[in-house]
Amino acid sequence: MPSIISVSNLSKTYASGFQALKPINLEIRQGEIFALLGPNGAGKTTLISIICGIVSPSTGAVTVDGRDIVRDYRAARSMIGLVPQELHTDSFESVWATVSFSRGLWGRPASPGHIGKVLKALSLWDKKDNKIMTLSGGMKRRVMIAKALAHEPQILFLDEPTAGVDVELRKDMWGVVRSLRKSGVTIILTTHYIEEAEEMADRIGIINKGELILVEDKAELMRKLGKKQLTLHLAAKLETVPPNLAAHRLTLAGGGSELIYTYDTRGERTGITALLSDLNKAGVRFRDLHTTQSSLEDIFVDLVRRGP
Amino acid sequence: MNWRAVQAIYAFEMARTGRTLLQSIISPVISTSLYFVVFGAAIGARITEIDGVSYGAFIVPGLIMMMLLTQSTANASFGIYFPKFVGTIYEILSAPISYIEIVLGYVGAAATKSIILGLIILATAGFFVPLHVEHPVWMLAFLVLTAVTFSLFGFIIGIWADGFEKLQVIPLLVITPLTFLGGSFYSISVLPPVWQTVSLFNPLVYLISGFRWSFYGISDVGVGISLGATLLFLALCLAIVWWIFRTGYRLKA
């Protein structure tokens, strides 16, 4: 897939001297869902804000479909829709008015048909005449998405789109995001919910302390960094791991009733056959076994702890 | 030019006036009527004429100018400050619009509201005193120029303010006193010579004087100087707005 956003040596140092972003290079591919993960204050929102024109970069450049975001800001911004993290809304406006305002702001001609379609897709149609101040937090979040979609963007930034949203609404939003992607919209989302990234993203970027630690295809990332564990439920408890099994680096767990073997899925050999043979030789019997794989959350926590 | 964006901001701001009709239009009209009652009827009974114009009629341009200055400043400052305060400014900053278009939308709407208000006050004044406008084109020119200039000034205050107190401090502590001291209710020629000289340092003297000239052909300072002072202030405000957007002052991190 060709890249639609190209970030080169982008950095941001605020007037206070705080370096929010160290030089970052990143390519976002057309039509993908890219999830940017990172702890609070990692620089996710700063990066998005620079691309969208809200924050000025200190160094570097960003192009959107080949258009520089500073020199050719009109063309670049006209392709982008942004759903910010905070619920910034015009409390006294109606849903319809505020969404129509957003479309006008992007220079698009009035289109009641499109606005209606967006509101229906986000289950806001029956609230269209309500003032925003009367809506719940979840509904306001939907309004923010509707505003971002009002001008039919080709790229959508979702900064923590499901923060503070209940499970049902979150799954609804995932559905909306998937259908947008199906229609060709490129989606960049930041999230604290790792399961959200795991569920939806094609590629993952992990940012920590202003540095982009890793950018990887989600499946590849999980394959590369995902550890698998084999847990053996023993027939009889052990006090220590038998010495002739030391080479397998087993961990005794469950008060001596479980042996855990960690192996790398990338390896040519997992070592399971040898382990089972050695267990037999050592006379260790087991009742049951099961395997587990690291979740994206485990990978994320591990990477962030290790630091850049 | 992204005219649709200008139109969207303009319509949004005008719609806000519609929602706050009492505060935006009716309240200034009532205040002006009270000024007529207090200054026109009470003081006017003692000061019958100034430069051949009845006192009640004499204060009309000053009253309109006072409302024009305070309302232009208040409307424009609130118009841009509120999105900053509630955070919706993100949308303005991320939209494909130029700074000129942003200013046209916000300042255009604030100036329109002030001009409408000025004309309503003019009509209201007609209920209290016989009105006469000697130079109607110049009257409109001064009205529009002042509304635009002080809407720009309000826009600057709205960007500068980081709290509601700052939003109020310039209109209350600077504009209102200077308007009162700028000859809204008197001709500066009635002041002692020293205070006449001091008054000439008050920029609002020139605006009020020029506007009064358009009504009655009388002024405290030459009309050319009034026009020049208005244009100078307009240029100064435009320069500051240009600098704000060039640097992103209080708008962009």
Side-chain angles (χ1 to χ4, degrees):
Chain A
M1 277 187 289
S3 92
I4 194 159
I5 296 177
S6 188
V7 177
S8 324
N9 292 317
L10 191 74
S11 76
K12 176 68 188 175
T13 304
Y14 286 100
S16 61
F18 172 68
Q19 191 175 24
L21 283 183
K22 291 168 187 167
I24 277 181
N25 292 290
L26 176 65
E27 301 287 326
I28 305 286
R29 297 169 189 161
Q30 191 164 14
E32 74 172 339
I33 297 181
F34 184 85
L36 194 58
L37 304 180
N40 286 333
K44 305 185 294 288
T45 301
T46 302
L47 177 58
I48 286 181
S49 298
I50 291 174
I51 298 172
C52 293
I54 298 168
V55 171
S56 305
S58 299
T59 62
V62 179
T63 59
V64 176
D65 201 23
R67 278 98 172 219
D68 187 273
I69 58 159
V70 178
R71 283 194 301 275
D72 199 1
Y73 68 93
R74 276 189 206 273
R77 290 184 199 172
S78 64
M79 296 179 72
I80 296 175
L82 167 67
V83 182
Q85 192 173 338
E86 304 292 333
L87 286 173
H88 300 306
T89 53
D90 297 303
S91 300
F92 305 104
E93 286 289 325
S94 72
V95 171
W96 184 272
T98 196
V99 177
S100 302
F101 171 72
S102 298
R103 187 173 171 86
L105 214 49
W106 260 258
R108 303 297 302 265
S111 173
H114 176 71
I115 303 285
K117 197 175 95 182
V118 169
L119 294 183
K120 281 173 190 161
L122 289 160
S123 308
L124 282 168
W125 179 249
D126 56 340
K127 306 276 183 195
K128 68 183 190 330
D129 298 320
N130 290 33
K131 281 190 176 175
I132 296 171
M133 64 197 291
T134 64
L135 302 180
S136 66
M139 282 293 170
K140 282 179 186 161
R141 183 72 65 188
R142 288 172 192 239
V143 172
M144 302 291 289
I145 298 176
K147 280 169 77 67
L149 296 177
H151 65 279
E152 300 162 65
Q154 291 167 55
I155 301 163
L156 182 65
F157 282 92
L158 297 159
D159 196 0
E160 305 277 356
T162 53
V165 164
D166 64 42
V167 178
E168 195 184 348
L169 188 51
R170 194 181 307 163
K171 293 205 166 155
D172 275 4
M173 285 194 187
W174 292 356
V176 171
V177 169
R178 282 200 192 94
S179 67
L180 283 170
R181 200 267 289 270
K182 217 178 262 180
S183 67
V185 177
T186 305
I187 293 154
I188 298 100
L189 70 94
T190 72
T191 180
H192 274 114
Y193 299 108
I194 310 289
E195 58 162 327
E196 198 159 79
E198 198 166 349
E199 174 82 21
M200 292 200 296
D202 299 309
R203 285 196 311 146
I204 307 267
I206 296 180
I207 188 169
N208 190 27
K209 294 177 184 165
E211 201 165 338
L212 199 58
I213 303 171
L214 175 145
V215 175
E216 187 65 85
D217 183 88
K218 183 185 70 183
E220 184 67 10
L221 177 68
M222 298 198 58
R223 196 186 66 76
K224 271 187 188 171
L225 300 174
K227 287 174 185 165
K228 263 196 148 178
Q229 287 191 322
L230 169 71
T231 305
L232 300 159
H233 301 272
L234 303 176
K237 283 187 180 181
L238 291 175
E239 284 188 5
T240 55
V241 177
N244 59 339
L245 296 175
H248 299 290
R249 294 181 186 168
L250 298 171
T251 311
L252 202 55
S257 63
E258 288 172 4
L259 271 177
I260 297 171
Y261 172 61
T262 305
Y263 59 99
D264 190 343
T265 52
R266 287 174 296 169
E268 265 184 39
R269 291 180 180 179
T270 60
I272 292 174
T273 312
L275 171 69
L276 294 179
S277 168
D278 288 348
L279 281 169
N280 193 35
K281 280 181 199 159
V284 178
R285 303 275 177 265
F286 53 91
R287 292 184 286 109
D288 198 4
L289 58 86
H290 75 268
T291 60
T292 52
Q293 186 158 16
S294 306
S295 68
L296 186 58
E297 183 161 351
D298 299 326
I299 297 166
F300 170 69
V301 170
D302 185 45
L303 275 170
V304 169
R305 273 195 192 142
R306 262 194 267 157
Chain B
M1 285 285 279
N2 184 352
W3 286 110
R4 286 199 184 98
V6 176
Q7 190 193 2
I9 296 172
Y10 184 87
F12 181 89
E13 283 297 298
M14 294 306 285
R16 190 162 60 78
T17 308
R19 286 198 305 270
T20 56
L21 209 59
L22 196 72
Q23 180 198 324
S24 303
I25 304 286
I26 298 172
S27 166
V29 169
I30 292 173
S31 303
T32 311
S33 304
L34 288 172
Y35 278 118
F36 274 116
V37 172
V38 174
F39 286 90
I43 298 175
R46 292 170 190 273
I47 309 169
T48 48
E49 278 191 354
I50 295 177
D51 295 333
V53 179
S54 75
Y55 184 71
F58 180 85
I59 64 171
V60 171
L63 277 176
I64 294 173
M65 195 51 88
M66 187 167 79
M67 284 300 156
L68 202 64
L69 299 179
T70 51
Q71 290 301 313
S72 298
T73 311
N75 280 328
S77 60
F78 191 80
I80 189 67
Y81 176 73
F82 196 65
K84 276 175 56 191
F85 178 70
V86 299
T88 51
I89 192 80
Y90 85 88
E91 201 175 20
I92 303 290
L93 295 176
S94 60
I97 50 177
S98 70
Y99 301 140
I100 293 168
E101 289 150 7
I102 295 173
V103 171
L104 275 176
Y106 280 107
V107 172
T112 305
K113 282 185 258 183
S114 304
I115 291 164
I116 292 169
L117 189 65
L119 294 174
I120 289 174
I121 291 170
L122 183 66
T124 310
F127 289 107
F128 294 92
V129 290
L131 276 178
H132 167 71
V133 183
E134 206 166 299
H135 307 288
V137 175
W138 279 109
M139 189 275 281
L140 276 175
F142 271 111
L143 194 75
V144 171
L145 266 177
T146 309
V148 170
T149 304
F150 277 79
S151 295
L152 275 169
F153 184 60
F155 188 83
I156 294 165
I157 292 173
I159 300 273
W160 164 74
D162 53 10
F164 279 99
E165 195 187 358
K166 275 191 179 173
L167 204 62
Q168 297 293 332
V169 77
I170 302 283
L172 284 177
L173 297 183
V174 180
I175 294 178
T176 307
L178 286 182
T179 317
F180 272 92
L181 298 171
S184 294
F185 300 104
Y186 57 87
S187 164
I188 62 167
S189 62
V190 302
L191 297 173
V194 170
W195 288 108
Q196 282 190 34
T197 309
V198 170
S199 294
L200 292 177
F201 288 98
N202 177 355
L204 301 194
V205 162
Y206 302 94
L207 303 182
I208 296 166
S209 173
F211 197 49
R212 184 170 287 132
W213 170 84
S214 70
F215 276 74
Y216 309 121
I218 54 167
S219 60
D220 289 322
V221 291
V223 66
I225 297 172
S226 288
L227 188 64
T230 312
L231 292 172
L232 188 69
F233 196 52
L234 176 67
L236 184 67
C237 289
L238 282 171
I240 295 172
V241 167
W242 174 82
W243 174 81
I244 283 172
F245 281 117
R246 201 177 67 88
T247 60
Y249 173 74
R250 301 236 162 142
L251 280 175
K252 282 189 175 191

